[in-house]
Amino acid sequence: MNQPKHNSIRPVVPDDIPALKRVIEATDMFPSEMLDNMIADYFNDEDSDEIWLTHDNDGAKAVAFCRPEEMTDRTWNLLLIAVHPDCQGEGIGAALMSHIENHLATHGQRVLIVETSGTDALARTREFYRLCQYDQESRIRDFYEDGDDKITFWKALQR
């Protein structure tokens, strides 16, 4: 197993969009054309607090996106993390999580939350968050649709 290089993590640039769409399509996260609207503020608003990162080892192989949670004191929400299936299991997702956590902690942020589906298809994702030392904090039944609960994980950021 190849270990990812930490210095391969960098902010997303517009030229990354086609590769990031391929990551999203390969992981079946959501329709990849939604990415354009999701990332528009990041590229168009120089005061944006959003964080968009990629792991670039001979091309963008992963994406992570988080932003401050509105109406909270220094709480952030990780809204997207995806690693191309060809690169999963190499530690890229964990490296991205660690990078985000360290960045936020260094800047005095308190909490990072992540929400995911409670379906069997995302059991591996939930285990990933547990391995990254996130605590399952809540379950909202039938949130996304009937039979698809929203699971929220929580982690205190320490510097």
Side-chain angles (χ1 to χ4, degrees):
M1 173 167 59
N2 297 332
Q3 290 299 317
K5 296 177 184 170
H6 188 68
N7 61 358
S8 298
I9 296 173
R10 62 167 175 77
V12 170
V13 297
D15 287 346
D16 294 324
I17 297 300
L20 298 181
K21 285 183 175 182
R22 287 190 293 275
V23 170
I24 290 166
E25 289 166 1
T27 57
D28 202 25
M29 295 284 294
F30 50 82
S32 64
E33 59 270 8
M34 291 175 62
L35 182 62
D36 296 317
N37 287 335
M38 290 174 63
I39 201 167
D41 283 346
Y42 175 73
F43 290 136
N44 298 324
D45 180 0
E46 63 187 42
D47 295 325
S48 174
D49 291 330
E50 294 179 354
I51 297 172
W52 283 87
L53 299 173
T54 188
H55 183 276
D56 185 345
N57 188 5
D58 198 25
K61 306 294 187 205
V63 61
F65 162 49
C66 68
R67 68 176 182 214
E69 188 69 23
E70 293 182 17
M71 300 177 10
T72 67
D73 175 29
R74 298 172 290 135
T75 299
W76 285 67
N77 195 336
L78 181 76
L79 297 168
L80 168 63
I81 187 166
V83 177
H84 194 284
D86 293 346
C87 302
Q88 290 178 2
E90 297 178 10
I92 293 171
L96 280 166
M97 292 296 287
S98 179
H99 185 92
I100 290 168
E101 293 165 9
N102 290 334
H103 173 82
L104 293 174
T106 299
H107 289 86
Q109 304 308 299
R110 294 181 321 108
V111 171
L112 182 59
I113 61 171
V114 62
E115 302 162 345
T116 190
S117 169
T119 62
D120 290 344
L122 289 171
R124 187 171 168 208
T125 300
R126 293 189 302 277
E127 184 59 23
F128 168 75
Y129 295 128
R130 289 183 186 101
L131 290 171
C132 290
Q133 300 179 356
Y134 281 73
D135 294 323
Q136 183 175 322
E137 198 64 21
S138 69
R139 173 185 294 265
I140 301 174
R141 290 182 302 272
D142 299 324
F143 181 83
Y144 296 107
E145 62 185 19
D146 287 341
D148 191 355
D149 302 347
K150 175 165 92 170
I151 310 295
T152 304
F153 290 86
W154 175 97
K155 187 175 192 178
L157 302 171
Q158 300 174 0
R159 191 166 169 213

